[in-house]
Amino acid sequence: MNVLQGLGRIAHQSLRRNICTTLARRSTYESDGKTSVTILNKEAEAGLMINSYSQYGFRLNNDMVVVGPMAIFSRTVLSWNVESHEDINDESLSLFCAIEPKIDVLVVGIGDNTITPAFSKKIIDFMKRHKINVEVLGTEQACATFNFLNAENRVVAAALIPPITLRINEDDLMQKQIAVSRTFEVSDK
């Protein structure tokens, strides 16, 4: 059983690394020796926003998909090397202390795990030593908080882990019913 879990973890990490690398290196080569690069976010003023999330990762407003945990800033996104909320420690948070300009707020989304006072205190104490405000939330609330603060042009970053389970609400059910009903529509053309 442990061997299968180990192989599954290796396959997951390899897939995440390959997809993120593939998405990050989109460029074309033209015959006259010039190289062009596709800019992922064409509206420089808009910044990055999180459009949706799943158990596998996140979709951003520029249609980029990030597989697995991510560190997102106003205009940059990185793969965050943690497997679960248990891997969040001083080392995994040190990235957010080393960047310039210094961030005002770090939003930490720990998936759908229960936030305990001891866990929050550990993160808050570390970030407090570096004079950075921090919010420890579930991923759903963390995505909304990051988007709100980023839209206000705050210097914000988020460290997000995809949830294991997803909540389904009435809007999700209605959207599914609409999609199913459109499957059987006949075009007049």
Side-chain angles (χ1 to χ4, degrees), residues 115-125:
I115 302 168
T116 63
F119 179 77
S120 293
K121 184 172 177 9
K122 178 178 72 168
I123 294 172
I124 292 168
D125 288 346

Side-chain angles (χ1 to χ4, degrees), residues 19-77:
I19 290 175
C20 289
T21 303
T22 301
L23 290 172
R25 293 184 184 172
R26 292 201 176 188
S27 64
T28 58
Y29 182 73
E30 298 171 9
S31 60
D32 60 358
K34 294 181 182 177
T35 302
S36 64
V37 177
T38 302
I39 304 299
L40 296 175
N41 193 358
K42 293 182 172 94
E43 295 181 34
E45 299 303 315
L48 291 174
M49 300 281 181
I50 303 161
N51 279 358
S52 62
Y53 62 90
S54 72
Q55 293 110 332
Y56 303 106
F58 304 86
R59 180 175 299 277
L60 306 181
N61 61 333
N62 59 9
D63 288 331
M64 183 177 181
V65 174
V66 180
V67 178
M70 73 171 175
I72 185 169
F73 305 89
S74 59
R75 289 181 172 67
T76 306
V77 64

Side-chain angles (χ1 to χ4, degrees), residues 41-176:
N41 193 358
K42 293 182 172 94
E43 295 181 34
E45 299 303 315
L48 291 174
M49 300 281 181
I50 303 161
N51 279 358
S52 62
Y53 62 90
S54 72
Q55 293 110 332
Y56 303 106
F58 304 86
R59 180 175 299 277
L60 306 181
N61 61 333
N62 59 9
D63 288 331
M64 183 177 181
V65 174
V66 180
V67 178
M70 73 171 175
I72 185 169
F73 305 89
S74 59
R75 289 181 172 67
T76 306
V77 64
L78 302 168
S79 181
W80 191 33
N81 193 20
V82 298
E83 289 295 320
S84 72
H85 74 288
E86 295 168 352
D87 296 332
I88 300 175
N89 54 34
D90 295 357
E91 184 180 337
S92 64
L93 293 171
S94 64
L95 161 72
F96 302 100
C97 303
I99 61 169
E100 287 292 331
K102 186 175 174 182
I103 59 176
D104 293 331
V105 180
L106 173 65
V107 181
V108 179
I110 65 165
D112 51 5
N113 296 293
T114 304
I115 302 168
T116 63
F119 179 77
S120 293
K121 184 172 177 9
K122 178 178 72 168
I123 294 172
I124 292 168
D125 288 346
F126 176 76
M127 298 311 287
K128 194 178 211 178
R129 288 194 302 263
H130 296 280
K131 297 180 174 70
I132 297 173
N133 297 313
V134 65
E135 287 286 331
V136 181
L137 305 165
T139 296
E140 181 177 3
Q141 296 86 7
C143 290
T145 302
F146 172 81
N147 285 347
F148 179 78
L149 292 171
N150 199 23
E152 287 188 332
N153 293 321
R154 301 276 304 272
V155 183
V156 63
L160 303 170
I161 299 172
I164 295 170
T165 58
L166 298 176
R167 291 185 310 139
I168 298 176
N169 60 34
E170 291 178 20
D171 186 49
D172 295 331
L173 295 173
M174 185 184 319
Q175 293 296 331
K176 178 67 175 172

